[in-house]
């Protein structure tokens, strides 16, 4: 993601219904273990594009880092570009899209500033705060697709993250969503995932490795 907002991430968070947008890169150890050519990615793309056709938004397999691109001169539709064919990257980017407000969805990467790998302790704490809601939604998506979820702390070259603590926070947010309801687009996609993948697979155990 190359676009930077004139606001800091926390200033943006305070002014919008989207809980920030720190991209999770493919440097995460668990993410790199995922097969690069997942046969179900094509099914996932088709499912998203048909489920949200009325939003003029398409899920697109990218070659590099993930990015959200609004419609413009080159494309008449919005694009959620996920990285390297990873199923989990697609779910993560869709989760961010499900939280983004209407005005944010007209801006490249929703108008948010990107803080890359190598964050200090304060920056990592900010990262984790804004990633709780999208990763909780991603967790629900992953379960609906019959897969195992792993949180992404994504700071291999910076301050050591509290992976277990972050997992507990994401899990707590997931329970709040289950109790009070998911955002409408997230709920819609959970239903779509269950209808497509739910009958084919038994849900796998969710959680995170301590390592």
């Amino acid at each position: 993601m190359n676009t930077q907002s004139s606001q800091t991430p926390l200033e943006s968070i305070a002014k919008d219904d989207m809980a920030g947008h720190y991209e999770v890169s493919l440097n995460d150890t668990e993410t790199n273990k995922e097969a690069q050519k997942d046969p179900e990615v094509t099914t996932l793309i088709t499912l998203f594009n048909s489920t949200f056709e009325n939003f003029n938004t398409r899920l697109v397999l990218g070659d590099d880092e993930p990015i959200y691109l609004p419609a413009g001169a080159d494309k008449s539709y919005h694009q959620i570009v996920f990285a390297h064919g990873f199923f989990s990257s697609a779910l993560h980017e869709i989760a961010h899209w499900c939280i983004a407000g209407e005005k944010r969805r007209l801006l490249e990467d929703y108008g948010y500033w990107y803080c890359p790998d190598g964050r200090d302790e304060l920056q990592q704490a900010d990262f984790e705060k804004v990633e709780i809601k999208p990763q909780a939604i991603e967790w629900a998506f992953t379960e609906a697709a019959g897969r195992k979820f792993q949180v992404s702390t994504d700071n291999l070259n910076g301050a050591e993250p509290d992976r277990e603590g972050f997992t507990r926070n994401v899990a707590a947010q997931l329970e709040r969503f289950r109790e009070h309801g998911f955002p409408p687009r997230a709920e819609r996609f959970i239903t779509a995932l269950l209808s497509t993948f739910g009958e084919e697979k038994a849900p796998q155990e969710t959680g995170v490795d301590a390592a």
Side-chain angles (χ1 to χ4, degrees):
M1 175 167 62
N2 297 320
T3 299
Q4 292 190 354
S5 170
S6 60
Q7 298 174 325
T8 66
L10 292 184
E11 288 172 339
S12 297
I13 294 163
K15 296 182 179 180
D16 196 83
D17 58 345
M18 179 186 179
H21 187 215
Y22 283 76
E23 292 287 4
V24 173
S25 76
L26 292 179
N27 292 328
D28 189 276
T29 303
E30 293 301 326
T31 302
N32 277 326
K33 291 180 180 178
E34 190 176 5
Q36 187 155 341
K37 293 184 179 179
D38 189 322
E40 292 186 328
V41 164
T42 300
T43 302
L44 182 64
I45 291 172
T46 301
L47 179 65
F48 177 88
N49 293 346
S50 61
T51 301
F52 295 106
E53 186 175 4
N54 60 317
F55 281 86
N56 192 35
T57 302
R58 298 184 190 178
L59 183 64
V60 178
L61 191 157
D63 295 324
D64 198 359
E65 294 299 317
I67 188 170
Y68 173 78
L69 299 171
D74 294 336
K75 299 290 183 182
S76 61
Y77 52 86
H78 312 303
Q79 300 175 79
I80 301 172
V81 182
F82 67 100
H84 300 289
F86 287 112
F87 196 98
S88 61
S89 175
L91 295 184
H92 184 84
E93 297 309 309
I94 294 168
H96 273 289
W97 178 80
C98 286
I99 296 175
E102 184 176 358
K103 291 182 179 179
R104 288 287 178 188
R105 299 198 304 275
L106 298 178
L107 303 174
E108 183 174 317
D109 261 342
Y110 313 108
Y112 280 96
W113 178 82
Y114 175 49
C115 189
D117 188 356
R119 295 180 289 274
D120 60 26
E121 289 185 8
L122 179 59
Q123 291 170 328
Q124 181 62 20
D126 289 342
F127 165 86
E128 293 181 8
K129 287 178 184 177
V130 301
E131 277 288 317
I132 288 173
K133 286 187 177 180
Q135 290 203 32
I137 291 172
E138 181 190 351
W139 192 329
F141 288 168
T142 306
E143 283 188 333
R147 296 186 173 221
K148 183 177 180 180
F149 175 77
Q150 301 282 345
V151 298
S152 296
T153 50
D154 186 41
N155 200 32
L156 297 180
N157 299 311
E160 181 69 23
D162 179 5
R163 193 175 178 87
E164 292 185 2
F166 181 54
T167 302
R168 287 192 295 271
N169 290 336
V170 174
Q173 179 60 59
L174 177 61
E175 290 306 311
R176 286 193 288 272
F177 277 139
R178 286 172 171 162
E179 182 178 354
H180 301 290
F182 287 88
R185 277 170 285 145
E187 187 69 55
R188 183 171 170 180
F189 198 56
I190 289 169
T191 300
L193 287 166
L194 286 169
S195 67
T196 300
F197 298 104
E199 295 180 0
E200 298 177 3
K201 298 180 180 180
Q204 300 179 30
E205 179 183 356
T206 57
V208 63
D209 297 332

